[in-house]
Every structure is written in structure tokens, then in C-alpha cells.
Amino acid sequence: MNKQKRFLTDWRLHLLVLGIVVVAEMIGVIEIRLGAGMIMLLPMLFALVFGLALYFTPLVKETQSKHAEPIITLSVALLIAKIGVTIGPDLKNVIAAGPALLLQEIGNFGTIFLALPVAVLLLGMKRESIGMTHSIGREPNLGIIYDKFGFDSPEGKGVTTIYVFGTVFGALFYGLISGFLATFTPLHPLSLAMAAGVGSGSMMAAASGALIAAYPEFETQIIAFAGASNLLTYGTGLFVSVFIALPLTEKLYALFRRWKGDRP
């Protein structure tokens, strides 16, 4: 109770968050043309950068950093509630897109087929690459790797590195790349919305926000499809990682090491 009270009465934290939000919203959306495409810098991205920068100033102390953790949980809970309410009116469309939603889960293997060869064959990384590339490295994946290999193992260090990196830069990257793909490629915004559901609430929010900025007329559908895809990834991601992704990553790692003439 005392801990909760300290969190609620941390006025330094609340004022800093309010200031960041006000400044980010005042900046608004900045559009940067890149040929036929466009990168959209959203207020959420500015807020992330401002918050990260303030962490290295005297304004933010370790106390505020600790107290900010429950805010993330609360924000994600509100986001999920909004997604649930939004999915309702578009439930028929979501069900109609069932096969597409299931097939887009195949895209989650992209970290294995794209990142693992680069890590092993080009960068010369060893077993830490298994933890780094078997998934996007969110909370369930941490548990899988820690349980099988241990926290201090190379695999454990690899997945921890990706988790920290994704926490800091994941939303920023997804916000930028989704806005660019929405304006540069002929892909339908709803297909990109389904791709936004990678199993991370913050990354999904950043990606869907950029898509909504590019296609405001599809706002409710984008939120519904991104939310449904994200929930599906949450539901199936753990089992896919345990039974398919992680074993496949280990086999490919051993194969790549043999190609290099090294022992796995």
C-alpha cells in the first residue's frame, strides 16, 4: 500500500510525463519525403525520445524510473481494453480475415531466416545468436530461454540483449518503418495492420499509429486488425517458440557453423 501511495504521489514523475506529452503533441506529425515513400514522425516517437533523453538529466532520478514501471502496465491494460472494444464492431471483418491472420504468423519466423544468417555467417556470433534471433525477444521468450539454457548462458545473454534493445528502440523502429511502408508500397493498410501485431503492445501501438496517420479513413479497422493479430501472436507465440522456432533456430545455427568450418 505504501509503495502504491508513493507511486501515486510522485508529482515529479507526473509533471514530467505531462510536459513530455504536451510538447510531443504540440510538435504533431512531421512528414519526411523519401522518394515515393514517406517517413512519419509521430508524437509517440517524440515522447519516447524525450523520455529517454530526460533519463540522463538531473530531472529524472532512479525513483522516478522505478515508479514509471507500473505506468507502462497500466497503459498497456488501457490499450488492450480499447482494442477489445474496437474489435467488437469489426468482429465480422476480423473473422472473415481468419486465414490471413493465421498465415501472417509465418512472418514471425523472419527473425530466424533473416537475422540468424547475418549473425552467424557475417558477424561471426556464436550461441548468443540463438537467443537473439529465435523471436523478437519479448517476455514469454525470455522465460523460454532462461528455463532451457539459464540466465547466464550465451543464449540467455542474447535474448536479454534483444529484449532491452527492443524495449528502448522497438516502438521507435516500428513507428518509422510502418509509416514508410504504408506510403511506399502498394500493400493494403489492413495487411500492414495485421503485420503490426508482433506480440508487443508498445510496438503495435507505434505501428498502428503510423498507419492511422497515413490512412485515417481506416482507423477503426486498423486498430481492430492490429489488435486481433497481436492477441493471436500472444496466444500462439509461446507454443510456436517452444515447438518450432527455437528447435529450428538451433538446427540452422548448427548448420551455419558447419558451413563456416566451426564446431556448433
Side-chain angles (χ1 to χ4, degrees):
M1 185 67 181
N2 291 333
K3 184 177 180 181
Q4 183 182 17
K5 187 176 180 180
R6 288 196 299 269
F7 158 70
L8 293 174
T9 57
D10 190 344
W11 298 111
R12 179 195 290 262
L13 173 62
H14 299 318
L15 289 174
L16 284 172
V17 171
L18 178 61
I20 290 173
V21 171
V22 170
V23 173
E25 289 294 335
M26 288 177 64
I27 295 174
V29 179
I30 296 179
E31 299 178 350
I32 302 175
R33 287 281 179 183
L34 287 178
M38 179 190 303
I39 291 179
M40 289 178 290
L41 305 180
L42 303 177
M44 179 179 179
L45 303 181
F46 295 125
L48 284 170
V49 174
F50 294 157
L52 181 62
L54 285 175
Y55 179 77
F56 298 101
T57 69
L59 292 174
V60 178
K61 300 180 180 179
E62 186 175 354
T63 302
Q64 280 71 52
S65 179
K66 292 293 183 182
H67 287 172
E69 293 177 4
I71 293 181
I72 298 176
T73 304
L74 178 61
S75 301
V76 172
L78 293 173
L79 175 64
I80 293 175
K82 179 183 178 182
I83 290 171
V85 173
T86 306
I87 288 176
D90 287 286
L91 190 58
K92 291 183 179 179
N93 295 329
V94 172
I95 294 175
L101 277 172
L102 292 174
L103 289 174
Q104 66 87 29
E105 291 293 306
I106 298 175
N108 294 328
F109 294 112
T111 56
I112 302 173
F113 295 115
L114 297 178
L116 184 62
V118 173
V120 178
L121 299 178
L122 297 182
L123 301 180
M125 300 181 71
K126 296 188 177 180
R127 293 196 63 85
E128 61 270 14
S129 62
I130 295 175
M132 297 176 75
T133 63
H134 83 285
S135 69
I136 64 169
R138 305 323 297 157
E139 288 83 355
N141 308 108
L142 289 175
I144 294 171
I145 296 297
Y146 291 165
D147 181 66
K148 182 172 183 178
F149 299 103
F151 177 78
D152 292 326
S153 65
E155 295 86 351
K157 294 177 181 178
V159 73
T160 302
T161 301
I162 291 299
Y163 176 77
V164 173
F165 188 87
T167 300
V168 177
F169 298 106
L172 180 64
F173 172 78
Y174 271 89
L176 292 174
I177 195 65
S178 60
F180 179 74
L181 292 176
T183 56
F184 182 73
T185 66
L187 296 174
H188 196 278
L190 295 186
S191 67
L192 293 172
M194 286 188 282
V198 295
S200 169
S202 59
M203 295 181 191
M204 183 210 69
S208 57
L211 293 175
I212 291 171
Y215 297 98
E217 66 274 16
F218 288 101
E219 179 176 0
T220 57
Q221 294 97 319
I222 288 173
I223 295 176
F225 277 83
S229 175
N230 204 55
L231 292 174
L232 183 62
T233 301
Y234 268 127
T236 62
L238 181 65
F239 301 102
V240 171
S241 293
V242 171
F243 296 110
I244 301 177
L246 186 55
L248 177 61
T249 305
E250 291 187 273
K251 290 184 180 299
L252 288 177
Y253 170 80
L255 175 64
F256 293 152
R257 297 299 296 182
R258 284 196 294 269
W259 284 0
K260 294 193 67 175
D262 300 330
R263 295 181 61 185

